[in-house]
Structure formats: C-alpha cells, structure tokens
Amino acid sequence: MVGFKATDVPPTATVKFLGAGTAACIADLITFPLDTAKVRLQIQGETQGPVRATASAQYRGVLGTILTMVRTEGPCSLYNGLVAGLQRQMSFASVRIGLYDSVKQFYTKGSEHASIWSRLLAGSTTGALAVAVAQPTDVVKVRFQAQARAGGGRRYQSTVNAYKTIAREEGFWGLWKAIGTSPNVARNAIVNCAELVTYDLIKDTLLKANLMTDDLPCHFTSAFGAGFCTTVIASPVDVVKTRYMNSALGQYSSAGHCALTMLQKEGPRAFYKGFMPSFLRLGSWNVVMFVTYEQLKRALTAACSSQEAPF
C-alpha cells in the first residue's frame, strides 16, 4: 500500500470538512498559474469590463499566456488573486467536497449502495450550497486574475481593497455577482457532479473489479478521469461565468445575454476558450486535491483514534 493505510474507523464529518478545505488549498497553490492563464484566455476578446488584459497583450495557448504574463507583468502576476483563491477554497471546497458523503448518506437514508441519482443529487446540493458561502471570494479572485499591471495602474491594490471597491461601486450584492439563476450556480452544480460523482464511480468500479486497491494509484486514476470529464462538461458555462463576473456594470443584462453576445460576436468556439489550461488546471487540481484529501482523511482519522485510544 502506498501512502497512509486505510483505517477501520470511518472519517468523521469534521475530518472530511477540514480535510477537503486544506487539500483544496494545497491544490490551488500548485495549479494557480494555470487557472490565471485560463481566465486571461477566456476574457480575451472582451471589448469592455472593469478589468481586462492590456490591448497589446495577445495570448496564444497555455505556455504562451504564461510567458507573456511573466514578460510583461512579472512572475508574481501568475498568482494575482491567490489570497482570495485560498479563502474561496477553504470555504467552498469544505462545503461542496467535505459535506458530499454526509449529504449522499442523507439522500440514501444511510444505505451503503448509493444510486447514480443519489450521487448526482448530493453533488448538486453541496455545489449550489457552496456558491452562497464562497461567491464573494470567487468574484474577487477572477477580478484579480483578469487585471493586467502592464501599461497602467492596478484597479485593486489588495484583497481587502477589492472587496471594498466592488461593494462601493457595484453595491453590496456586487460581491454576489453571477449568483441566483446565473451560470455560477449551474457551473458549480455541474462541476461538483462531474468531479465528485465521476471520481466516486471510477473509484468504486476499480475497487469492485479488483483492478486496483484503495491507495494512491487508484486515487490518481480516478481523479484524472474526473478532471477530464469535468472540463468537457463545464467549460462553456465556466467561460460565461468568467466573462459575466468580469463585466462592467450594465454590460450584460443577464448571464443568458452574456452567452448570446459571445455566440453572436465570437461564434461557438468562444465557449471553449481556454480549454487546454482548463483541462491542465482541472486535471492537475483534481489529482492533487483528491490524492491529498484521501491521505489527509486517513492521517487525521488515525491521529484522532490514537488520541482516544487508552494507554
């Protein structure tokens, strides 16, 4: 067995909640430059917005985007919005991933055999719930990643300044931009279902068919498959979400208007802008997050069990 051994004691909801948030933060630290490159590619082609890349900066591909940003804005630009990103993951992933098993058990009434519909319902529930909790951090993260420092001053000087500026200029609910019937609820329900349900199903299949044991290779394979499926399914709504979050006040009347404008001006391929960095980011993020999450659950459960065990 590679990594921490599985214990007979199942992890508690608290262990899953804390483990999911911590694992997501670790994954974000490693893959954040890919996420920033994805955002820059997705907003390329916008003619207006509160934050956008400089007019002279044309991004081509993942590596080209990263190299252009490093050359024109410096290496630190790849981590614009990292603080808000970590705040987002600690609150967002803790809910959508950490509570997934508990919600799934609620829908199956404690049964060990969960149907695909129970898994999808659990993924949709925790994904939508997480949006309400972490949406302001997501808005600030996207704005930071989108802003370019070359050729002008930065719109937001710090994470706190970004929260204050958005609330002052766009109203308090500007921090919840793209919530409600907007693409972020749909995106996170889709992403959560694609990520968690696909990971769940692949892992269960591998274990039941005795193709792998419950260790790192199994977690890696399941996470990679989940990352690919998630990217294919969620990319269109992810692009709309990024454009809508980064839009100027009044630029789009709704998320649907944003999508229609993209289709009319840039064609259907616009919905898959930044697909490669999305896949590289989601694939690598899923691998790091799920592998770390599985190991953290076992380590924390073993630590709790050792403390409770009598001397």
Side-chain angles (χ1 to χ4, degrees), residues 179-250:
I179 204 168
T181 57
S182 68
N184 214 24
V185 170
R187 177 196 180 269
N188 284 294
I190 292 169
V191 166
N192 220 38
C193 287
E195 271 184 359
L196 297 178
V197 175
T198 305
Y199 178 83
D200 218 2
L201 289 172
I202 294 174
K203 182 181 172 184
D204 279 356
T205 302
L206 291 173
L207 294 177
K208 288 178 180 177
N210 294 319
L211 296 174
M212 289 183 174
T213 55
D214 192 5
D215 54 13
L216 283 176
C218 176
H219 304 156
F220 179 93
T221 304
S222 304
F224 186 83
F228 179 76
C229 292
T230 303
T231 309
V232 172
I233 295 170
S235 274
V237 72
D238 188 36
V239 175
V240 174
K241 181 212 79 165
T242 300
R243 290 283 186 95
Y244 188 57
M245 276 186 175
N246 190 53
S247 64
L249 188 63

Side-chain angles (χ1 to χ4, degrees), residues 45-86:
E46 289 249 75
T47 57
Q48 57 179 316
V51 176
R52 63 181 185 274
T54 54
S56 61
Q58 292 298 315
Y59 305 119
R60 297 183 180 276
V62 185
L63 183 59
T65 300
I66 291 174
L67 291 176
T68 299
M69 289 181 64
V70 170
R71 186 177 67 253
T72 60
E73 302 171 49
C76 291
S77 65
L78 296 173
Y79 283 90
N80 277 349
L82 178 63
V83 174
L86 295 180

Side-chain angles (χ1 to χ4, degrees), residues 243-268:
R243 290 283 186 95
Y244 188 57
M245 276 186 175
N246 190 53
S247 64
L249 188 63
Q251 182 179 353
Y252 302 118
S253 60
S254 65
H257 177 224
C258 176
L260 186 61
T261 302
M262 285 175 56
L263 183 63
Q264 291 173 338
K265 292 185 176 181
E266 302 172 58

Side-chain angles (χ1 to χ4, degrees), residues 158-182:
S158 67
T159 304
V160 174
N161 173 254
Y163 285 118
K164 290 180 178 178
T165 302
I166 294 171
R168 183 177 65 250
E169 295 182 356
E170 302 176 40
F172 178 75
W173 292 109
L175 291 167
W176 270 266
K177 196 170 190 178
I179 204 168
T181 57
S182 68

Side-chain angles (χ1 to χ4, degrees), residues 73-155:
E73 302 171 49
C76 291
S77 65
L78 296 173
Y79 283 90
N80 277 349
L82 178 63
V83 174
L86 295 180
Q87 291 173 352
R88 174 183 182 269
Q89 291 300 349
M90 202 64 214
S91 54
F92 187 70
S94 296
V95 174
R96 76 178 186 90
I97 298 171
L99 298 183
Y100 171 74
D101 285 336
S102 299
V103 174
K104 183 175 68 174
Q105 289 174 3
F106 171 78
Y107 284 131
T108 58
K109 296 185 169 80
S111 173
E112 293 183 2
H113 304 288
S115 67
I116 181 68
W117 300 112
S118 297
R119 299 177 203 237
L120 288 171
L121 192 56
S124 300
T125 301
T126 58
L129 180 62
V131 175
V133 175
Q135 183 69 4
T137 61
D138 200 17
V139 172
V140 171
K141 178 183 78 76
V142 168
R143 294 285 181 88
F144 258 102
Q145 289 175 313
Q147 73 177 356
R149 287 183 291 179
R154 301 179 69 187
R155 180 176 175 82

